[in-house]
Amino acid sequence: MDLNPPPGENYANPRICFFHVLFKAGALAFYILSALFFDSFVIIFVVTVLLSALDFWVVKNVSGRILVGLRWWNEIDDNGESVWKFECLDQESLARMNKKDSWLFWWTLYLTAVVWIFFGIFSLIRFQADYLLVVGVCLTLSIANIVGFTKCRKDAKKQIQQFASQTIANRFSSTIQSAFSVV
């Protein structure tokens, strides 16, 4: 993953990028500023978790698919086992993905979790167990997307490698067959 956004390249999906960042920033900003405007912990908890849940849904179902070409979900099979499911675009489509969109997606995904961890440590230091609960829920949603998309990216790379090996093997096989059929 490149640390700097590609120079001179524009975002291919500026609206999706905006909403990708909006819910993350909204949940974090509301959590930070809510103590100034609300005395009720319940309101702070509900609104912050709602914004974080909206962020989770947007990242998992919209921005992940459009900005990086990945989608994941988890199912429980007939035996009660948890099964991860992954979708990714084909190799050509993945190669055409906008690097700036991808950069924004991955950095905001990780940075949000780091900020929630910071807030969790701050809540621990101040002995605020109730706010630690809010942070815990938001951090869990953030980490779920990180784990899901990281596994999905690894699965996509494995699929690309398998496709490349099969293509090379098929070409090698067809070359050998055509060489022997000429003789």
Side-chain angles (χ1 to χ4, degrees):
M1 182 169 62
D2 191 12
L3 297 179
N4 298 317
E9 185 178 351
N10 289 326
Y11 292 101
N13 302 289
R15 287 189 192 130
I16 302 299
C17 290
F18 173 76
F19 285 106
H20 177 76
V21 174
L22 178 69
F23 290 116
K24 290 175 183 359
L28 291 167
F30 186 83
Y31 178 77
I32 293 167
L33 300 174
S34 61
L36 300 173
F37 301 107
F38 301 104
D39 290 332
S40 171
F41 171 74
V42 173
I43 291 173
I44 295 169
F45 178 86
V46 168
V47 174
T48 304
V49 170
L50 179 64
L51 288 170
S52 193
L54 286 170
D55 171 53
F56 174 81
W57 186 88
V58 166
V59 170
K60 186 175 168 304
N61 295 307
V62 180
S63 64
R65 185 180 287 183
I66 294 171
L67 300 180
V68 292
L70 303 172
R71 184 169 173 249
W72 67 271
W73 66 97
N74 192 295
E75 295 177 350
I76 305 299
D77 67 8
D78 295 335
N79 299 328
E81 299 288 322
S82 177
V83 178
W84 287 86
K85 302 281 186 167
F86 305 110
E87 281 182 4
C88 68
L89 294 176
D90 58 59
Q91 186 177 359
E92 290 177 27
S93 299
L94 283 174
R96 287 192 310 257
M97 297 301 293
N98 183 286
K99 291 185 183 3
K100 205 167 191 178
D101 288 356
S102 178
W103 179 89
L104 177 84
F105 177 86
W106 289 108
W107 272 98
T108 56
L109 200 65
Y110 289 113
L111 187 61
T112 303
V114 168
V115 172
W116 284 120
I117 289 170
F118 171 76
F119 287 148
I121 292 168
F122 191 69
S123 294
L124 274 173
I125 291 170
R126 296 189 63 202
F127 298 109
Q128 294 178 319
D130 49 354
Y131 286 92
L132 190 58
L133 178 64
V134 176
V135 171
V137 171
C138 295
L139 182 60
T140 300
L141 291 171
S142 192
I143 288 175
N145 263 334
I146 289 171
V147 169
F149 280 107
T150 301
K151 285 185 172 192
C152 192
R153 182 172 56 180
K154 286 179 183 176
D155 186 66
K157 285 181 182 177
K158 187 173 29 170
Q159 287 178 4
I160 289 170
Q161 288 171 346
Q162 287 174 347
F163 176 76
S165 335
Q166 285 177 341
T167 303
I168 291 170
N170 288 343
R171 290 200 178 186
F172 181 73
S173 171
S174 65
T175 303
I176 289 177
Q177 285 177 351
S178 62
F180 284 115
S181 65
V182 172
V183 175

